[in-house]
Amino acid sequence: MRANESGVDEVVKVAEKKEKKREVVEGEQERIIPVLSDDENARAKLMMKMLSEVEWNSDGSYSGSTGDALSELQKKRILRKFGESEPLAKPISVGEMRMYTRQKITPDSLDFTGEQDAALISASFYTTFIASAFLALLAEQYLPGPDYVRYTVTFLAGSIPFAFLLSGLSLPAVLQAGLILIRRASSKQFRDRLVRHEAGHFLVGYLLGIAVESYRANAISNAVQFTMKPASSIIITNSNNTASTNSATSVDPDEMRIDKYNHEQLDALAVVSMAGVVSELLCCDGAARGGYADLAQLQALMQRADPPLESREVQHKVRWGAVRAYSLLQQNRNALDALSLKMATNRPVPECIAAIENAHEEDQQF
Protein backbone atom coordinates (compact mmCIF):
# COMPACT_ATOMS: atom_id res chain seq x y z
CA MET A 1 0.00 0.00 0.00
CA ARG A 2 2.82 2.41 0.86
CA ALA A 3 4.58 1.48 -2.35
CA ASN A 4 1.51 2.40 -4.33
CA GLU A 5 1.16 5.73 -2.52
CA SER A 6 4.81 6.59 -3.13
CA GLY A 7 4.40 5.71 -6.81
CA VAL A 8 1.40 8.03 -7.10
CA ASP A 9 3.34 10.81 -5.39
CA GLU A 10 6.16 10.42 -7.89
CA VAL A 11 3.74 10.64 -10.82
CA VAL A 12 2.16 13.78 -9.35
CA LYS A 13 5.57 15.40 -8.84
CA VAL A 14 6.60 14.66 -12.45
CA ALA A 15 3.32 16.09 -13.76
CA GLU A 16 3.78 19.24 -11.67
CA LYS A 17 7.31 19.71 -13.01
CA LYS A 18 6.10 19.35 -16.61
CA GLU A 19 3.31 21.85 -15.99
CA LYS A 20 5.72 24.39 -14.49
CA LYS A 21 8.11 23.91 -17.42
CA ARG A 22 5.27 24.43 -19.90
CA GLU A 23 4.19 27.63 -18.11
CA VAL A 24 7.76 28.94 -18.24
CA VAL A 25 8.05 28.21 -21.96
CA GLU A 26 4.69 29.86 -22.68
CA GLY A 27 5.73 32.85 -20.59
CA GLU A 28 8.91 33.22 -22.62
CA GLN A 29 6.93 33.01 -25.86
CA GLU A 30 4.52 35.68 -24.69
CA ARG A 31 7.44 37.89 -23.64
CA ILE A 32 9.17 37.51 -27.02
CA ILE A 33 6.04 37.51 -29.19
CA PRO A 34 3.41 39.57 -27.36
CA VAL A 35 1.13 39.69 -30.41
CA LEU A 36 0.02 36.10 -29.80
CA SER A 37 -2.38 37.26 -27.08
CA ASP A 38 -6.13 37.21 -27.67
CA ASP A 39 -6.43 40.98 -27.36
CA GLU A 40 -6.76 42.02 -31.00
CA ASN A 41 -6.86 45.71 -30.11
CA ALA A 42 -3.49 45.44 -28.40
CA ARG A 43 -2.12 43.53 -31.38
CA ALA A 44 -3.38 46.21 -33.79
CA LYS A 45 -1.74 48.96 -31.75
CA LEU A 46 1.52 47.04 -31.60
CA MET A 47 1.43 46.44 -35.34
CA MET A 48 0.92 50.13 -36.13
CA LYS A 49 3.69 51.04 -33.71
CA MET A 50 6.12 48.65 -35.38
CA LEU A 51 5.14 49.81 -38.89
CA SER A 52 5.57 53.45 -37.89
CA GLU A 53 9.08 52.69 -36.64
CA VAL A 54 10.13 51.60 -40.13
CA GLU A 55 11.83 54.45 -41.96
CA TRP A 56 9.49 55.74 -44.65
CA ASN A 57 10.04 58.43 -47.26
CA SER A 58 7.60 61.31 -47.62
CA ASP A 59 5.98 59.65 -50.65
CA GLY A 60 5.08 56.57 -48.61
CA SER A 61 7.86 54.28 -49.85
CA TYR A 62 10.66 52.62 -47.91
CA SER A 63 14.05 54.25 -47.97
CA GLY A 64 15.65 50.88 -47.35
CA SER A 65 14.77 47.30 -48.25
CA THR A 66 11.01 46.93 -48.07
CA GLY A 67 11.09 43.18 -48.32
CA ASP A 68 13.56 42.76 -45.47
CA ALA A 69 11.54 45.06 -43.21
CA LEU A 70 8.23 43.29 -43.82
CA SER A 71 9.83 39.85 -43.60
CA GLU A 72 11.27 40.71 -40.20
CA LEU A 73 7.85 41.76 -38.93
CA GLN A 74 6.36 38.60 -40.40
CA LYS A 75 8.88 36.42 -38.57
CA LYS A 76 7.88 38.10 -35.29
CA ARG A 77 4.23 37.28 -36.12
CA ILE A 78 3.37 40.98 -36.10
CA LEU A 79 2.31 40.65 -39.73
CA ARG A 80 0.37 37.44 -40.18
CA LYS A 81 -0.85 37.77 -43.77
CA PHE A 82 2.33 38.92 -45.46
CA GLY A 83 3.60 36.02 -47.54
CA GLU A 84 0.98 33.59 -46.21
CA SER A 85 0.01 32.42 -49.72
CA GLU A 86 1.84 30.90 -52.67
CA PRO A 87 1.19 31.00 -56.44
CA LEU A 88 0.71 27.19 -56.63
CA ALA A 89 1.13 27.47 -60.39
CA LYS A 90 0.10 24.72 -62.77
CA PRO A 91 -0.78 24.60 -66.49
CA ILE A 92 -4.49 24.91 -67.24
CA SER A 93 -6.69 25.29 -70.31
CA VAL A 94 -9.29 27.96 -71.04
CA GLY A 95 -12.03 25.50 -70.10
CA GLU A 96 -10.42 24.80 -66.74
CA MET A 97 -10.05 28.53 -66.12
CA ARG A 98 -13.79 28.93 -66.68
CA MET A 99 -14.58 25.96 -64.45
CA TYR A 100 -12.39 27.06 -61.52
CA THR A 101 -13.98 30.52 -61.51
CA ARG A 102 -17.59 29.47 -62.20
CA GLN A 103 -17.57 31.11 -65.64
CA LYS A 104 -16.72 34.52 -64.16
CA ILE A 105 -13.29 34.69 -65.79
CA THR A 106 -13.09 34.26 -69.54
CA PRO A 107 -10.79 35.76 -72.19
CA ASP A 108 -13.59 38.19 -73.09
CA SER A 109 -14.37 39.29 -69.54
CA LEU A 110 -10.69 40.06 -68.88
CA ASP A 111 -10.63 42.61 -71.74
CA PHE A 112 -7.31 41.34 -73.10
CA THR A 113 -7.99 42.79 -76.56
CA GLY A 114 -8.45 46.39 -75.43
CA GLU A 115 -11.66 46.69 -77.48
CA GLN A 116 -13.43 48.61 -74.75
CA ASP A 117 -10.69 51.24 -74.63
CA ALA A 118 -10.81 51.51 -78.42
CA ALA A 119 -14.58 51.91 -78.29
CA LEU A 120 -14.19 54.67 -75.71
CA ILE A 121 -11.71 56.55 -77.88
CA SER A 122 -13.99 56.22 -80.90
CA ALA A 123 -16.98 57.51 -78.93
CA SER A 124 -14.88 60.41 -77.65
CA PHE A 125 -13.82 61.32 -81.18
CA TYR A 126 -17.36 61.31 -82.58
CA THR A 127 -18.57 63.34 -79.61
CA THR A 128 -15.79 65.84 -80.21
CA PHE A 129 -16.61 65.97 -83.93
CA ILE A 130 -20.31 66.68 -83.36
CA ALA A 131 -19.61 69.27 -80.66
CA SER A 132 -17.02 71.09 -82.77
CA ALA A 133 -19.33 71.16 -85.80
CA PHE A 134 -22.13 72.59 -83.66
CA LEU A 135 -19.82 75.25 -82.21
CA ALA A 136 -18.50 76.17 -85.65
CA LEU A 137 -22.07 76.56 -86.95
CA LEU A 138 -23.05 78.78 -84.01
CA ALA A 139 -19.95 80.91 -84.43
CA GLU A 140 -20.50 81.35 -88.17
CA GLN A 141 -24.16 82.31 -87.74
CA TYR A 142 -24.38 84.26 -84.51
CA LEU A 143 -20.92 85.48 -83.42
CA PRO A 144 -20.91 89.30 -83.51
CA GLY A 145 -18.02 91.39 -84.71
CA PRO A 146 -15.88 91.63 -87.84
CA ASP A 147 -16.01 88.85 -90.42
CA TYR A 148 -12.38 87.84 -89.93
CA VAL A 149 -13.01 87.21 -86.21
CA ARG A 150 -16.05 85.10 -86.97
CA TYR A 151 -14.19 83.12 -89.66
CA THR A 152 -11.19 82.56 -87.34
CA VAL A 153 -13.36 81.24 -84.51
CA THR A 154 -15.29 79.03 -86.94
CA PHE A 155 -12.05 77.62 -88.35
CA LEU A 156 -10.62 76.91 -84.89
CA ALA A 157 -13.81 75.21 -83.73
CA GLY A 158 -13.89 73.05 -86.85
CA SER A 159 -10.24 72.06 -86.35
CA ILE A 160 -10.81 70.47 -82.94
CA PRO A 161 -11.42 66.92 -84.32
CA PHE A 162 -8.20 67.12 -86.33
CA ALA A 163 -6.32 68.15 -83.18
CA PHE A 164 -7.86 65.15 -81.44
CA LEU A 165 -6.59 62.79 -84.13
CA LEU A 166 -3.15 64.42 -84.19
CA SER A 167 -2.74 64.08 -80.43
CA GLY A 168 -3.77 60.44 -80.65
CA LEU A 169 -1.12 59.72 -83.27
CA SER A 170 1.77 61.78 -81.93
CA LEU A 171 1.04 62.03 -78.20
CA PRO A 172 -1.18 59.07 -77.23
CA ALA A 173 -0.18 59.28 -73.56
CA VAL A 174 -1.36 62.89 -73.40
CA LEU A 175 -4.68 62.00 -75.01
CA GLN A 176 -5.17 59.07 -72.65
CA ALA A 177 -4.35 61.25 -69.65
CA GLY A 178 -6.90 63.81 -70.76
CA LEU A 179 -9.63 61.20 -71.19
CA ILE A 180 -8.82 59.73 -67.76
CA LEU A 181 -9.07 63.17 -66.14
CA ILE A 182 -12.46 63.77 -67.74
CA ARG A 183 -13.82 60.37 -66.75
CA ARG A 184 -12.43 60.65 -63.25
CA ALA A 185 -14.05 64.04 -62.74
CA SER A 186 -17.41 63.01 -64.17
CA SER A 187 -17.86 59.43 -62.94
CA LYS A 188 -17.69 58.13 -59.38
CA GLN A 189 -18.03 54.60 -60.73
CA PHE A 190 -14.88 55.08 -62.78
CA ARG A 191 -12.98 56.37 -59.72
CA ASP A 192 -14.11 53.37 -57.69
CA ARG A 193 -13.04 51.05 -60.50
CA LEU A 194 -9.52 52.49 -60.55
CA VAL A 195 -9.19 52.12 -56.78
CA ARG A 196 -10.47 48.54 -56.84
CA HIS A 197 -8.06 47.68 -59.64
CA GLU A 198 -5.01 48.93 -57.78
CA ALA A 199 -6.23 47.45 -54.49
CA GLY A 200 -6.33 44.05 -56.17
CA HIS A 201 -2.67 44.37 -57.18
CA PHE A 202 -1.70 45.61 -53.71
CA LEU A 203 -3.52 42.91 -51.75
CA VAL A 204 -2.45 39.90 -53.82
CA GLY A 205 1.16 41.06 -53.95
CA TYR A 206 1.14 41.45 -50.18
CA LEU A 207 -0.37 38.00 -49.62
CA LEU A 208 2.30 36.46 -51.86
CA GLY A 209 5.08 38.16 -49.90
CA ILE A 210 6.01 40.77 -52.52
CA ALA A 211 6.75 43.98 -50.67
CA VAL A 212 4.85 47.16 -51.60
CA GLU A 213 6.89 50.36 -51.76
CA SER A 214 4.23 52.87 -52.80
CA TYR A 215 1.00 53.25 -54.73
CA ARG A 216 -1.00 55.79 -56.71
CA ALA A 217 -4.74 55.27 -56.97
CA ASN A 218 -5.93 58.83 -57.54
CA ALA A 219 -3.47 60.06 -60.15
CA ILE A 220 -3.41 60.09 -63.95
CA SER A 221 -0.99 57.18 -63.93
CA ASN A 222 -2.22 54.59 -61.42
CA ALA A 223 0.25 52.02 -60.19
CA VAL A 224 1.38 49.91 -57.25
CA GLN A 225 5.15 49.80 -56.93
CA PHE A 226 6.53 46.46 -55.73
CA THR A 227 10.02 45.38 -54.73
CA MET A 228 11.34 42.07 -56.07
CA LYS A 229 15.00 41.22 -56.41
CA PRO A 230 15.69 39.81 -59.90
CA ALA A 231 17.18 36.35 -60.19
CA SER A 232 20.00 37.75 -62.35
CA SER A 233 20.91 40.73 -64.50
CA ILE A 234 22.41 41.14 -67.94
CA ILE A 235 24.59 44.17 -68.63
CA ILE A 236 24.61 45.29 -72.28
CA THR A 237 27.50 47.55 -73.27
CA ASN A 238 26.44 50.16 -75.80
CA SER A 239 29.92 50.54 -77.31
CA ASN A 240 30.25 47.00 -78.68
CA ASN A 241 26.74 45.59 -78.04
CA THR A 242 28.12 42.78 -75.87
CA ALA A 243 26.25 41.29 -72.95
CA SER A 244 27.38 39.78 -69.67
CA THR A 245 25.76 38.57 -66.47
CA ASN A 246 26.25 40.89 -63.52
CA SER A 247 24.71 41.05 -60.05
CA ALA A 248 25.84 44.59 -59.29
CA THR A 249 23.21 47.17 -58.41
CA SER A 250 24.84 50.04 -60.32
CA VAL A 251 25.31 50.34 -64.06
CA ASP A 252 27.74 52.57 -65.96
CA PRO A 253 26.25 55.28 -68.19
CA ASP A 254 27.48 53.44 -71.29
CA GLU A 255 25.73 50.24 -70.21
CA MET A 256 22.13 49.06 -70.00
CA ARG A 257 20.96 46.60 -67.36
CA ILE A 258 18.24 44.02 -68.08
CA ASP A 259 16.87 42.15 -65.06
CA LYS A 260 16.04 38.47 -65.46
CA TYR A 261 13.43 36.53 -63.47
CA ASN A 262 13.16 32.81 -62.85
CA HIS A 263 9.97 30.87 -63.46
CA GLU A 264 8.95 30.85 -59.79
CA GLN A 265 9.15 34.63 -59.63
CA LEU A 266 7.14 34.96 -62.83
CA ASP A 267 4.46 32.67 -61.39
CA ALA A 268 3.99 35.16 -58.56
CA LEU A 269 4.16 38.17 -60.88
CA ALA A 270 1.51 36.62 -63.12
CA VAL A 271 -0.90 36.34 -60.19
CA VAL A 272 -0.20 39.93 -59.11
CA SER A 273 -0.60 41.25 -62.66
CA MET A 274 -3.97 39.56 -63.14
CA ALA A 275 -5.25 40.61 -59.71
CA GLY A 276 -6.19 44.12 -60.83
CA VAL A 277 -8.58 43.14 -63.59
CA VAL A 278 -9.95 40.23 -61.52
CA SER A 279 -10.69 42.66 -58.69
CA GLU A 280 -12.71 44.73 -61.15
CA LEU A 281 -14.68 41.64 -62.17
CA LEU A 282 -15.53 40.85 -58.55
CA CYS A 283 -16.44 44.35 -57.43
CA CYS A 284 -17.69 46.23 -60.50
CA ASP A 285 -20.73 44.29 -61.74
CA GLY A 286 -18.70 41.69 -63.59
CA ALA A 287 -17.12 44.19 -65.99
CA ALA A 288 -13.40 44.91 -66.38
CA ARG A 289 -11.53 47.61 -68.27
CA GLY A 290 -7.83 47.31 -67.41
CA GLY A 291 -6.91 43.84 -68.64
CA TYR A 292 -5.13 44.91 -71.82
CA ALA A 293 -2.57 47.11 -70.06
CA ASP A 294 -1.87 44.52 -67.34
CA LEU A 295 -1.41 41.75 -69.89
CA ALA A 296 0.99 43.87 -71.95
CA GLN A 297 3.09 44.58 -68.88
CA LEU A 298 3.10 40.91 -67.85
CA GLN A 299 4.15 39.78 -71.33
CA ALA A 300 7.06 42.22 -71.17
CA LEU A 301 8.15 40.60 -67.90
CA MET A 302 7.76 37.12 -69.39
CA GLN A 303 10.27 38.07 -72.07
CA ARG A 304 12.85 38.40 -69.29
CA ALA A 305 12.39 34.80 -68.16
CA ASP A 306 15.53 32.80 -67.38
CA PRO A 307 15.40 30.26 -68.95
CA PRO A 308 13.14 31.61 -71.73
CA LEU A 309 9.48 30.62 -71.80
CA GLU A 310 7.65 29.12 -74.74
CA SER A 311 4.44 30.74 -75.96
CA ARG A 312 2.38 27.87 -74.56
CA GLU A 313 3.98 28.29 -71.13
CA VAL A 314 3.21 32.01 -71.11
CA GLN A 315 -0.45 31.30 -71.82
CA HIS A 316 -0.59 28.77 -68.98
CA LYS A 317 0.91 31.27 -66.54
CA VAL A 318 -1.52 34.01 -67.55
CA ARG A 319 -4.54 31.72 -67.14
CA TRP A 320 -3.41 30.37 -63.80
CA GLY A 321 -2.53 33.88 -62.65
CA ALA A 322 -6.14 34.93 -63.21
CA VAL A 323 -7.49 31.82 -61.43
CA ARG A 324 -5.19 32.16 -58.42
CA ALA A 325 -5.90 35.88 -58.13
CA TYR A 326 -9.62 35.11 -58.18
CA SER A 327 -9.20 32.58 -55.37
CA LEU A 328 -7.08 34.89 -53.18
CA LEU A 329 -9.38 37.88 -53.62
CA GLN A 330 -12.46 35.80 -52.84
CA GLN A 331 -10.85 34.41 -49.72
CA ASN A 332 -9.78 37.90 -48.59
CA ARG A 333 -12.81 39.91 -49.71
CA ASN A 334 -13.08 41.85 -46.45
CA ALA A 335 -9.42 42.79 -46.66
CA LEU A 336 -9.97 43.97 -50.24
CA ASP A 337 -12.88 46.18 -49.15
CA ALA A 338 -10.93 47.64 -46.21
CA LEU A 339 -7.86 48.27 -48.37
CA SER A 340 -9.95 49.96 -51.07
CA LEU A 341 -11.33 52.41 -48.52
CA LYS A 342 -7.82 53.35 -47.41
CA MET A 343 -6.48 53.70 -50.94
CA ALA A 344 -9.47 55.81 -52.01
CA THR A 345 -8.37 58.46 -49.50
CA ASN A 346 -4.64 58.13 -50.26
CA ARG A 347 -3.73 56.82 -46.82
CA PRO A 348 -0.06 55.90 -46.20
CA VAL A 349 1.17 52.40 -46.98
CA PRO A 350 1.45 51.41 -43.26
CA GLU A 351 -2.25 52.15 -42.77
CA CYS A 352 -3.09 50.11 -45.85
CA ILE A 353 -1.09 47.18 -44.48
CA ALA A 354 -2.83 47.51 -41.12
CA ALA A 355 -6.22 47.44 -42.86
CA ILE A 356 -5.28 44.14 -44.52
CA GLU A 357 -4.00 42.60 -41.30
CA ASN A 358 -6.99 43.70 -39.20
CA ALA A 359 -9.62 42.42 -41.63
CA HIS A 360 -11.39 39.26 -40.47
CA GLU A 361 -12.37 36.90 -43.25
CA GLU A 362 -15.32 34.55 -43.26
CA ASP A 363 -15.06 31.07 -44.69
CA GLN A 364 -15.59 31.16 -48.45
CA GLN A 365 -17.01 28.34 -50.51
CA PHE A 366 -15.80 27.81 -54.09
Side-chain angles (χ1 to χ4, degrees):
M1 187 70 177
R2 290 180 180 178
N4 291 337
E5 291 178 352
S6 62
V8 172
D9 292 338
E10 289 295 330
V11 171
V12 171
K13 289 180 180 179
V14 171
E16 290 176 349
K17 288 181 180 179
K18 290 183 178 180
E19 181 65 19
K20 290 181 179 179
K21 184 177 181 181
R22 185 180 64 84
E23 292 176 354
V24 171
V25 172
E26 291 180 350
E28 286 295 317
Q29 291 178 342
E30 293 179 355
R31 181 180 65 82
I32 297 174
I33 312 175
V35 297
L36 295 181
S37 64
D38 294 332
D39 190 350
E40 291 298 326
N41 290 329
R43 174 182 172 271
K45 292 179 180 179
L46 175 62
M47 178 174 56
M48 282 303 302
K49 179 178 182 297
M50 297 296 291
L51 287 173
S52 63
E53 291 177 354
V54 178
E55 186 177 355
W56 296 82
N57 290 329
S58 59
D59 62 352
S61 61
Y62 279 105
S63 60
S65 174
T66 311
D68 292 343
L70 294 182
S71 296
E72 186 65 24
L73 296 179
Q74 190 267 346
K75 291 178 181 178
K76 296 178 179 179
R77 294 299 308 279
I78 295 174
L79 301 180
R80 297 178 180 178
K81 296 183 179 181
F82 179 70
E84 71 170 6
S85 302
E86 296 180 359
L88 305 177
K90 66 176 183 179
I92 60 172
S93 64
V94 174
E96 290 173 321
M97 180 177 69
R98 294 173 181 266
M99 180 184 66
Y100 289 144
T101 61
R102 297 181 178 181
Q103 302 293 328
K104 291 184 178 180
I105 295 181
T106 66
D108 294 333
S109 66
L110 292 175
D111 188 31
F112 281 163
T113 60
E115 291 180 355
Q116 295 176 354
D117 289 338
L120 173 63
I121 294 176
S122 298
S124 300
F125 171 75
Y126 286 119
T127 301
T128 303
F129 179 82
I130 294 173
S132 65
F134 182 71
L135 291 174
L137 181 62
L138 288 179
E140 196 275 332
Q141 293 291 332
Y142 302 106
L143 185 66
D147 290 342
Y148 71 88
V149 173
R150 184 166 61 254
Y151 293 152
T152 301
V153 173
T154 301
F155 174 78
L156 292 176
S159 301
I160 294 177
F162 299 98
F164 187 98
L165 289 176
L166 181 62
S167 63
L169 294 174
S170 59
L171 300 171
V174 175
L175 176 62
Q176 184 180 17
L179 293 176
I180 289 176
L181 284 176
I182 294 173
R183 296 185 67 189
R184 186 191 298 278
S186 60
S187 174
K188 182 179 183 302
Q189 182 181 8
F190 181 74
R191 294 194 296 270
D192 293 341
R193 181 187 300 279
L194 293 179
V195 172
R196 287 286 185 174
H197 185 103
E198 300 305 327
H201 289 310
F202 191 124
L203 175 59
V204 171
Y206 184 83
L207 295 174
L208 294 178
I210 305 176
V212 178
E213 284 189 347
S214 61
Y215 74 91
R216 297 188 306 272
N218 285 310
I220 295 177
S221 177
N222 299 282
V224 178
Q225 187 69 35
F226 292 99
T227 297
M228 175 178 282
K229 184 178 179 180
S232 62
S233 298
I234 293 179
I235 306 301
I236 299 178
T237 304
N238 295 332
S239 58
N240 53 11
N241 293 327
T242 59
S244 62
T245 302
N246 196 323
S247 59
T249 57
S250 60
V251 180
D252 294 336
D254 293 334
E255 298 177 338
M256 179 176 64
R257 170 176 166 174
I258 301 178
D259 294 331
K260 293 288 186 176
Y261 299 94
N262 59 39
H263 291 190
E264 289 75 16
Q265 290 176 314
L266 290 174
D267 289 334
L269 291 174
V271 181
V272 176
S273 296
M274 293 296 99
V277 66
V278 172
S279 179
E280 290 188 46
L281 286 174
L282 293 177
C283 304
C284 301
D285 299 327
R289 298 291 185 272
Y292 179 76
D294 288 342
L295 178 62
Q297 186 179 40
L298 177 59
Q299 288 177 332
L301 290 173
M302 294 290 185
Q303 292 177 357
R304 301 182 182 182
D306 185 21
L309 290 169
E310 297 180 0
S311 176
R312 174 175 52 84
E313 294 176 307
V314 172
Q315 294 176 6
H316 287 318
K317 290 184 182 297
V318 171
R319 293 170 191 153
W320 180 252
V323 170
R324 184 58 175 153
Y326 173 85
S327 174
L328 291 175
L329 291 174
Q330 283 280 52
Q331 293 171 358
N332 295 273
R333 190 64 176 267
N334 292 338
L336 178 62
D337 294 338
L339 176 61
S340 298
L341 292 176
K342 293 292 183 180
M343 295 179 68
T345 54
N346 290 319
R347 304 308 303 165
V349 174
E351 291 190 25
C352 294
I353 293 176
I356 295 174
E357 291 288 340
N358 294 331
H360 297 278
E361 306 299 336
E362 300 177 357
D363 293 336
Q364 301 287 342
Q365 299 294 329
F366 301 101

